[in-house]
Amino acid sequence: MSTPTYDATEMGREMIDRWEVTDLVSGLGRLLDERRLDALGEVAATDIQAIFPFGSADDLEGLRALAARNLGVFEKSQHVITDVLVELDGDRAGVRANVIAVHVPSVGQPATHFTVGGTYRFEARRAAEGWRLTRMELDRVWTSGEHPHAAHGA
Amino acid sequence: MEHADLVRRLRELEDRRAVAETICRLDTILDEQRFNELSTVYAPDAVADFPSALMEGLDALTDVARRRMESYDAMQHATTNVLVTIDGDRATARANQIATHVHRGEGPGSHHETGVVHRFELVRTADGWRIARADAEVVWRRGTPPPPVSNSNPAR
């Protein structure tokens, strides 16, 4: 077995990039769940492309509108994001992650919810202000419960 | 902290990250049905003791994964809490997983879920970390899984 050589500075830089890109994904879930759509620019680039099963957007304003429309039906949501796999390529990064997103129409009835299990695929770019998501895509793998708007179900 | 000590701890962190990534890549390969790529996460002589089958060797692992998929339209293996311990060129890991299997031909709302504790043993190779042994302890289920896949390896 060959012994890998270690460059501590390079290793440290790469680790910081991985943390920062992973934080973008956790941060996105948090902003959505806290309904802080005005702050989405902290994680997403102004020219972000977003593709969801329920619609798509060509920029940050479009993403805000889409998120407002989709999440507006629900009083609470929880985006549990796991398996965040980051592929670094200089000032670009690709990310693949699992998401289990639980949507609660009424906080008074937390046992009634609509859940989507899916795959997120992101692209990110390093900018002067830090890493930002430039593309996001959600593939729906499974659902559980009823969406309050029948058109969204199954 | 002395520089040499810092480098040692950084190397261990990088090893832990790489081991956790190997486990996440296993999930991704299964969920994207890229079964030929199981060789990039499992060692050739890997043993996996899963509820579906006891599998010995990469060929058995690949074969069972392929045949299990015949019952499903899609799967999601969501893994969290990956705890890694490095011991030189070997590593152990423990992780929680919620595995959701969508039944074939019945739409995305028809599935069963299993809460599993995974325990892994990994070895460092020239190509990166590889899983040598994988165990799965089922903690809970919701819904009914199809019957276990019959195994060409009569170990069970």
Side-chain angles (χ1 to χ4, degrees):
Chain A
M1 208 204 74
S2 64
T3 305
T5 53
Y6 291 96
D7 176 337
T9 306
E10 183 55 31
M11 211 179 347
R13 280 201 184 119
E14 188 175 317
M15 228 173 256
I16 291 167
D17 281 341
R18 284 184 188 283
W19 269 101
E20 290 181 350
V21 172
T22 301
D23 277 357
L24 284 184
V25 174
S26 301
L28 172 70
R30 175 221 179 142
L31 293 175
L32 293 175
D33 291 338
E34 295 181 351
R35 303 294 190 268
R36 290 168 55 206
L37 304 184
D38 287 349
L40 278 176
E42 292 173 13
V43 297
T46 52
D47 59 348
I48 186 169
Q49 304 275 311
I51 299 168
F52 302 100
F54 45 83
S56 58
D58 288 328
D59 57 20
L60 185 56
E61 281 314 307
L63 175 63
R64 279 198 187 106
L66 200 59
R69 183 150 46 87
N70 193 56
L71 292 173
V73 187
F74 304 101
E75 289 187 2
K76 286 269 186 192
S77 61
Q78 184 185 40
H79 287 74
V80 180
I81 301 172
T82 71
D83 300 276
V84 183
L85 275 178
V86 178
E87 300 277 346
L88 293 171
D89 182 15
D91 291 338
R92 305 260 166 177
V95 184
R96 192 255 190 220
N98 283 317
V99 57
I100 297 177
V102 184
H103 302 77
V104 182
S106 166
V107 288
Q109 294 176 288
T112 300
H113 40 76
F114 172 68
T115 304
V116 176
T119 309
Y120 273 138
R121 289 182 183 82
F122 300 98
E123 291 171 13
R125 185 176 62 211
R126 192 200 310 268
E129 66 272 23
W131 287 94
R132 290 293 184 274
L133 300 171
T134 53
R135 184 185 160 86
M136 67 178 292
E137 190 169 351
L138 170 66
D139 277 336
R140 200 177 269 188
V141 178
W142 59 270
T143 63
S144 180
E146 298 294 321
H147 193 284
H149 293 176
H152 272 269
Chain B
M1 196 187 297
E2 287 192 20
H3 184 72
D5 193 37
L6 177 73
V7 171
R8 184 185 60 74
R9 292 178 67 175
L10 204 52
R11 282 172 60 170
E12 183 173 328
L13 263 189
E14 171 56 21
D15 279 338
R16 285 166 54 186
R17 186 202 66 76
V19 165
E21 183 179 282
T22 303
I23 292 167
C24 289
R25 284 178 46 233
L26 167 60
D27 292 344
T28 304
I29 287 169
L30 292 173
D31 293 348
E32 297 183 352
Q33 302 174 40
R34 296 184 277 115
F35 302 118
N36 285 338
E37 296 177 33
L38 285 171
S39 60
T40 65
V41 292
Y42 278 117
D45 57 352
V47 174
D49 191 354
F50 288 168
S52 52
L54 174 63
M55 297 160 276
E56 297 182 327
L58 184 60
D59 289 346
L61 276 157
T62 306
D63 181 53
V64 170
R66 225 183 270 287
R67 281 189 292 142
R68 283 195 78 211
M69 197 64 218
E70 292 169 8
S71 304
Y72 307 119
D73 276 340
M75 304 188 286
Q76 184 188 50
H77 291 84
T79 298
T80 72
N81 311 105
V82 185
L83 280 173
V84 179
T85 306
I86 303 290
D87 182 14
D89 290 338
R90 306 193 70 88
T92 56
R94 185 223 193 251
N96 283 314
Q97 181 177 84
I98 298 176
T100 304
H101 292 74
V102 179
H103 302 145
R104 183 158 293 266
E106 296 180 26
S110 173
H111 44 79
H112 71 270
E113 294 141 78
T114 312
V116 177
V117 174
H118 274 300
R119 291 180 179 82
F120 297 99
E121 295 172 18
L122 297 95
V123 290
R124 189 200 305 270
T125 75
D127 299 321
W129 290 93
R130 293 291 182 271
I131 298 165
R133 187 175 171 93
D135 287 272
E137 176 193 340
V138 174
V139 180
W140 58 269
R141 282 191 200 279
R142 184 156 48 205
T144 308
V149 169
S150 66
N151 197 337
S152 51
N153 177 348
R156 166 162 295 180

